[in-house]
Amino acid sequence: FVRVDFAGFIKAVDTLGGVDVIVECELHDTFPDKTSPTGKSDLDVYPGIATLSGKQALWYARSRWSTTDFDRARRQQKVLRALFTKARSGNLLQSAFGLYNDFRENIETSIGVSDLPFFIDIATRLDDLAIKNRVVTYPVIKAFTRPDGAQVLLPTQDTIPYIAESLSPPAGNRAQSRPL
């Protein structure tokens, strides 16, 4: 696992020189910003490709002002995919050892330095189009209030194909096909 704090996320995006995200819907929000004279900054993005700085990417992924949690989940997936694509295209994965140490204060992980070559090898061979991601929304799930008052989402029968797809192995075992 890897858990990155906000400062680490901003640093990662800025290290890449920003990320290009395909924006589907106009989004406007205001965020606390210690570096701004007013203590806040606006994020305004429009449909098309937006190049986002670290702060902007974080804000875009976390915005809750005018959209749903499902929209936020989709935006988060888009930003993560954009980060991965940018890291691969810039050969940043080859600098993973140095970056590992640079980001050590901003991450918590079970991956050791000795594990990096294996993960870098897999990452460099992944096909972006073969990576599946889904945001499951209504009517595949339904709202439910638990007896303790917590509002949760429950799967419906329509969820089964998504679960089956996510649990299906890939067409080939990529880890075993790597050169020795």
Side-chain angles (χ1 to χ4, degrees), residues 81-95:
R81 171 91 38 126
L83 272 169
F84 177 68
T85 300
K86 184 88 177 247
R88 281 185 55 199
S89 69
N91 290 324
L92 199 60
L93 295 175
Q94 309 317 329
S95 305

Side-chain angles (χ1 to χ4, degrees), residues 60-73:
Y60 180 72
R62 298 194 70 231
S63 178
R64 296 171 184 239
W65 176 250
S66 62
T67 63
T68 69
D69 281 342
F70 300 116
D71 295 330
R72 188 168 51 91

Side-chain angles (χ1 to χ4, degrees), residues 16-131:
L16 292 170
V19 291
D20 296 329
V21 177
I22 299 171
V23 176
E24 295 172 350
C25 300
E26 193 170 316
L27 180 75
H28 305 281
D29 206 342
T30 302
F31 292 88
D33 185 357
K34 295 176 194 173
T35 63
S36 170
T38 62
K40 60 185 178 178
S41 290
D42 293 330
L43 174 69
D44 298 297
V45 291
Y46 300 90
I49 296 177
T51 300
L52 304 175
S53 68
K55 277 186 190 178
Q56 291 169 326
L58 179 65
W59 295 341
Y60 180 72
R62 298 194 70 231
S63 178
R64 296 171 184 239
W65 176 250
S66 62
T67 63
T68 69
D69 281 342
F70 300 116
D71 295 330
R72 188 168 51 91
R74 274 189 283 279
R75 287 193 308 274
Q76 289 170 354
Q77 289 180 7
K78 284 176 178 282
V79 169
L80 289 175
R81 171 91 38 126
L83 272 169
F84 177 68
T85 300
K86 184 88 177 247
R88 281 185 55 199
S89 69
N91 290 324
L92 199 60
L93 295 175
Q94 309 317 329
S95 305
F97 290 102
L99 292 172
Y100 185 90
N101 291 325
D102 291 347
F103 285 89
R104 198 68 190 137
E105 67 195 39
N106 301 104
I107 64 171
E108 181 182 340
T109 183
S110 60
I111 299 171
V113 174
S114 61
D115 298 320
L116 287 178
F118 177 73
F119 287 108
I120 292 167
D121 180 57
I122 290 173
T124 57
R125 292 184 294 112
L126 283 175
D127 174 4
D128 284 347
L129 298 176
I131 298 173

